[in-house]
Amino acid sequence: MALRIGVIGGGQLARMMIAPAVELGLDIRVLAESEGMSAQLAATAVGDYRDLETVRAFVTDVDVVTFDHEHVPQDVLRALVADGVAVHPGPDALRYAQDKLAMRARLAELGIPQPDWARVANADELQAFLDDHGGRAVVKTPRGGYDGKGVRLVRTSADAADWFEQTAADDALLVEELVSFRRELAQQVARRPSGQIVAYPVVETVQRDGVCAEVFAPAPGAGDRLVQVAEGIGRQIAEGLGVTGMLAVELFETDDERVLVNELAMRPHNSGHWSQDGAVTGQFEQHLRAVADLPLGDPSPRAAWAAMVNILGGPADGSFESRFDAAMSEHPDAKIHTYGKQARPGRKVGHVNAAGDDLDDVVYTARAAVDHFR
């Protein structure tokens, strides 16, 4: 009988696991939050991932559980483990992707380079941090933020007053120094439960309005030192936190040539979409191999350069389908991926990959193909 992989969450990441699961002979099943989600082709159940009994019912006929997102509550995750369910990544690792304060504290214990940070429970503590860091800082809600949500640049403690009002008495916010960086990078690694790790090339990511817009692989101009440092950070975090599956480490390359950890994601990640068409083993296949504890695939690039450009928002009028003909005709070497989502300003509704020997040509191809869907 085929190994049964249960994915909690029905978004585009689960959708993009379907094809490699079929190719690997895995039986993929999805618990979607609602009908009609991106991964509806494999949705065998619909329900609330925060409800233990709903999740328990879903996992009764799967062998391994993994995730489209990191939002499943810890009590649900730990109940599954207590029931004997194989959960990858497990709750002990996922808590560091779910809680940024816990992540910062654990990375400090591991000696991982990161921005100066502090736990602040009130306006006075935030103001003290601002006074010590040039009067500007970044405040984050420890849980629930993504794609720029739950992140705010502040210059006075009053700029976060509403967040403090919403914070429970025994809780706090995370404040970080405002890092002066030349660009953002991402390092992906995959790790099996039995310990094997492989690393992808470090990539450059371009953010717009807090959302990843473009990725260039490998990061242009990355020297041997940067490549070694980024990969070392990724491997150390995967081992130190006990991550199983794909891990994406978002990084700052600072103006003074340091590499600092910004965020973590324990699943396939937007920074790795290029690998679907640009690497020997794409991140979605790699994630499935890892959580199933199968030998990991080769993460090497297939070409000198690859680029990924997100389709954000989608067509203001007409359908996606009406745009494919022109995009494909004009850019036959572009690989177009759509998520089955309705167009909405700023929403990630698809992406385009391109690969080749010339970076400028590759980036042009991906951007030009995306323009057909705007």
Side-chain angles (χ1 to χ4, degrees):
M1 185 174 67
L3 189 69
R4 301 165 299 179
I5 308 290
V7 182
I8 297 180
Q12 65 259 27
L13 301 181
R15 176 190 181 97
M16 288 183 277
M17 293 183 206
I18 297 172
V22 171
E23 292 166 357
L24 291 171
L26 301 173
D27 181 354
I28 186 168
R29 306 177 182 199
V30 172
L31 172 62
E33 293 89 331
S34 59
E35 299 284 354
M37 293 191 69
S38 292
Q40 61 182 319
L41 285 171
T44 57
V46 175
D48 187 351
Y49 60 81
R50 297 164 297 185
D51 179 70
L52 175 57
E53 295 313 312
T54 297
V55 176
R56 271 188 169 140
F58 171 67
V59 305
T60 55
D61 58 355
V62 302
D63 301 302
V64 178
V65 171
T66 191
F67 308 95
D68 170 86
H69 56 71
E70 292 111 337
H71 306 312
V72 180
Q74 279 284 311
D75 58 345
V76 173
L77 296 172
R78 294 188 183 279
L80 296 184
V81 172
D83 291 345
V85 178
V87 178
H88 296 299
D92 289 339
L94 271 172
R95 69 180 292 255
Y96 299 112
Q98 294 175 330
D99 187 324
K100 295 181 178 65
L101 281 168
M103 175 198 75
R104 288 293 181 213
R106 180 61 180 141
L107 294 187
E109 292 173 354
L110 293 172
I112 303 292
Q114 54 184 338
D116 287 342
W117 65 279
R119 179 184 188 275
V120 290
N122 54 57
D124 290 341
E125 292 178 354
L126 174 56
Q127 191 60 54
F129 188 92
L130 284 164
D131 293 343
D132 289 340
H133 292 82
R136 294 195 301 169
V138 176
V139 172
K140 299 180 179 180
T141 54
R143 292 175 290 278
Y146 65 96
D147 285 347
K149 299 177 178 66
V151 179
R152 185 179 294 178
L153 174 64
V154 300
R155 290 178 171 82
T156 72
S157 59
D159 292 336
D162 56 328
W163 280 3
F164 281 121
E165 290 174 0
Q166 298 163 16
T167 301
D170 59 347
D171 210 342
L173 300 176
L174 169 65
V175 61
E176 300 174 354
E177 67 169 310
L178 184 63
V179 175
S180 179
F181 61 91
R182 59 183 299 261
R183 61 178 174 174
E184 293 185 73
L185 306 170
Q187 175 65 59
Q188 282 193 303
V189 299
R191 181 174 180 270
R192 293 170 63 183
S194 55
Q196 182 192 8
I197 296 180
V198 297
Y200 285 82
V202 63
V203 302
E204 179 177 347
T205 66
V206 178
Q207 317 292 318
R208 297 198 182 104
D209 299 323
V211 177
C212 181
E214 298 180 331
V215 176
F216 312 128
D224 290 344
R225 175 187 170 275
L226 175 59
V227 170
Q228 292 169 7
V229 168
E231 181 175 332
I233 288 171
R235 288 177 177 270
Q236 188 179 357
I237 291 174
E239 292 177 336
L241 273 54
V243 179
T244 47
M246 288 298 305
L247 166 70
V249 184
E250 297 180 59
L251 302 163
F252 295 125
E253 183 182 8
T254 68
D255 293 338
D256 56 359
E257 298 185 344
R258 293 177 297 153
V259 178
L260 306 177
V261 173
N262 179 23
E263 305 270 359
L264 303 179
M266 296 179 192
R267 50 174 169 76
H269 188 254
N270 206 157
S271 64
H273 289 353
W274 69 273
S275 67
Q276 284 176 291
D277 307 296
V280 175
T281 308
Q283 67 164 344
F284 297 98
E285 176 183 341
Q286 197 78 281
H287 185 72
L288 293 169
R289 286 180 179 233
V291 301
D293 206 15
L294 297 171
L296 299 180
D298 183 355
S300 302
R302 290 185 177 274
W305 298 103
M308 187 283 313
V309 178
N310 271 328
I311 303 172
L312 299 174
D317 53 67
S319 66
F320 273 103
E321 292 73 21
S322 66
R323 312 295 180 95
F324 271 95
D325 188 84
M328 290 177 169
S329 296
E330 294 182 27
H331 308 286
D333 50 345
K335 303 293 286 186
I336 302 167
H337 302 265
T338 57
Y339 305 157
K341 291 182 173 182
Q342 293 296 313
R344 190 173 71 201
R347 190 183 201 186
K348 292 179 186 176
V349 293
H351 67 271
V352 172
N353 289 332
D357 294 331
D358 184 88
L359 177 59
D360 289 341
D361 288 347
V362 164
V363 173
Y364 169 77
T365 296
R367 288 174 176 169
V370 165
D371 282 343
H372 287 280
F373 297 94
R374 288 178 172 149

